[in-house]
Amino acid sequence: MKRLSFFLTFTFFQGLAAKDYNVLFIISDDLTYTALSCYGNKVCNTPNIDKLAAEGVRFTQAFCQGTYCGPSRASFMSGYYPHATGALGYKSPRPQIGDRSTWSQHFRNHGYHAARVSKIYHMGVPGGIESGGDGADDPLSWDEKYNCKGPEWRAPGDGETLQKNPDGKRPVVGGNTFVVVEADGDDLVHSDGKAAAKAVELLEKYQGMKKPFWLGVGFVRPHVPFVAPRKYYNPFKPYSKMVLPKKVPGNWDDIPQAGINYCTSENMQMDIRKQKKAVGGYYASVAYLDAQVGKVMDALEKSGKRDNTIVIFTSDHGFHLGEHDFWAKVSLRDESAKVPLIISVPGKKPAVCDSFVELLDLYPTLSNLCGLPKQDRLQGKDISPMLDDPSYEVRQEAFCVAPMRTGFYSKKKNGRSCNMVKNYQPN
Ligand SMILES: [Ca+2]
C-alpha cells in the first residue's frame, strides 16, 4: 500500500511537472520599454501588450545581454553570455556551442514541436527582410520555420530619410538608417503583418496537435526603417507635438568617450523637426507591432490553448529616442540595455516584479516551468519563483555587453554605477 501510495504520489507530481504547457515566445526588435503604455508611456498606446501585462508578470528590471540583435539573440537562445561563446557578431551561435541544445531545441528533444515565424536569431533589417532569407538561423532549433518577406523602406507611401539629410535631397534609402514611411495599404503589406498571419495559421493548425508546441514569433518593428500603414501614424501627427527628452546643456561633459552612443542628434544631422518625426515614426511602428501582437493573442484564445500556454513578450534590446541626444541601440544606458519583459503563466496571479532578471534566464526558467530536465551548464538562472513571489531575487546585478564599445556593463541594484572595463578584447 505504501508503495502504491508512493507510486501514485510520484505520478501525480510527475503529471504536474509535465504539465505540457505550450510556449508562445513573442519577440520584438529594437523595442525600448519606454515606448509602451504598460511601462508608463503616455503618448504611445499599446493596448494589446498592456492586456498581456495585466494577465502576467511584468518585469521592470529586465536586461538584455548584448545591446544589438546578433549577440543578444544568440545569447538567450544558446543559454550563454555573449563573451562566453564569443558569439558577438551577427552570427548563429552553433559553431561555438557544438552539439549543445539551444532553448527551443531542448524542448524539441523532450517531445515539443518547435517552430519559428520570422526573426528569432539574427536577420538583417531591412536587407534580410527584403530578401526573405534565413539570416543567422539555426536549423537544429526548429521543426518548421517561416520567413516573412516585406518591402520595408521600398513600401509605397510617403517616405522621408531623417538621417544625414540636412538639405532634404537624400531619397528614401535602405540599410540601418532612420527612415519614416507612412505606407499605403494594410497590415499584410509588411513583414510583421505576414508574421502575425502565419502565427495565427499555425495556432489554428496546432489545435489538433497532440504534442505541445514551442512557437517563436519574431516581429521586426520598431527596428528602422519606421514603416507602417498610414492609420498608425494618426495619433502622432502633427509630429511637431511630439515631446523630446529635455536638452541639458553640457550633458556629455561627464560621460566618458566610450559612453557617447554611436548615433547622436549631431552625427545623424537631425534637427528638432526630424527628431520629433523620428519619435512619431517609432511610436507608429510600435502601435503597428502592438496590433500584430493582438492578432496572435486572439488566435491563441480562439485555439482553446490559452489555458495551458505560457506567453512571453520581450525585445532583443532597447533603443534611445533622444535621451542625452542619443538615438538607436548599442549604448549601455537603461533605454538601450533594458528590455520590456512579460511572462504570463496560466493560473498565476498578475504582478509587477522589480527583481533583476536577464533574457538569459528565459531558457532555464521555461525549462523548469515545463518540467524539462535541468542543465547546469546554462548561465541563466531559474526565475520561476518570481512568478509566485515577485519579491524573490536571483541576482543583485544584471550583466550586459556592448561588443563594439569594448566595454562591460554591470548595473547594480542599489547603486547607480555603470562599470565599464575598457579595452576588453573578446577571444
Ligand atoms: Ca534588434
Side-chain angles (χ1 to χ4, degrees), residues 271-424:
D271 59 18
I272 297 295
R273 181 192 71 80
K274 287 184 176 129
Q275 291 176 36
K276 289 187 169 186
K277 184 165 177 176
V279 172
Y282 185 90
Y283 285 172
S285 297
V286 173
Y288 171 63
L289 156 79
D290 180 76
Q292 309 320 306
V293 171
K295 291 177 191 172
V296 176
M297 288 307 298
D298 285 350
L300 177 65
E301 203 74 58
K302 279 196 197 112
S303 76
K305 298 209 170 187
R306 179 67 179 99
D307 291 344
N308 65 334
T309 301
I310 299 173
V311 184
I312 303 147
F313 176 82
T314 191
S315 173
D316 55 355
H317 50 79
F319 203 82
H320 277 288
L321 292 171
E323 303 86 8
H324 316 283
D325 273 301
F326 295 165
W327 297 88
K329 49 206 168 190
V330 179
S331 143
L332 289 166
R333 290 180 174 272
D334 272 11
E335 293 86 356
S336 161
K338 213 183 209 184
V339 289
L341 177 65
I342 299 160
I343 303 178
S344 168
V345 181
K348 293 200 187 288
K349 270 201 288 190
V352 175
C353 179
D354 300 323
S355 303
F356 270 40
V357 298
E358 299 181 342
L359 285 182
L360 203 51
D361 301 333
L362 292 174
Y363 181 172
T365 302
L366 271 291
S367 297
N368 182 31
L369 288 168
C370 296
L372 271 51
K374 188 172 181 241
Q375 302 174 86
D376 290 332
R377 66 179 179 82
L378 298 180
Q379 294 187 307
K381 294 175 191 285
D382 176 11
I383 61 167
S384 59
M386 292 177 198
L387 303 168
D388 295 308
D389 173 11
S391 68
Y392 189 87
E393 293 183 331
V394 296
R395 54 164 58 82
Q396 293 301 307
E397 55 191 309
F399 188 81
C400 184
V401 63
M404 73 164 71
R405 309 302 292 180
T406 62
F408 275 149
Y409 174 64
S410 158
K411 165 115 186 192
K412 289 201 194 310
K413 193 180 171 206
N414 297 315
R416 295 160 60 90
S417 62
C418 167
N419 303 321
M420 297 202 64
V421 180
K422 277 193 182 175
N423 303 320
Y424 165 74

Side-chain angles (χ1 to χ4, degrees), residues 42-89:
K42 301 277 189 269
V43 179
C44 188
N45 193 22
T46 50
N48 295 293
I49 297 166
D50 293 5
K51 180 171 183 281
L52 183 61
E55 293 167 0
V57 177
R58 181 173 65 84
F59 292 86
T60 64
Q61 301 291 338
F63 289 82
C64 66
Q65 278 53 75
T67 48
Y68 51 93
C69 308
S72 174
R73 291 164 183 265
S75 168
F76 67 71
M77 287 304 292
S78 69
Y80 295 105
Y81 286 101
H83 56 286
T85 56
L88 295 158

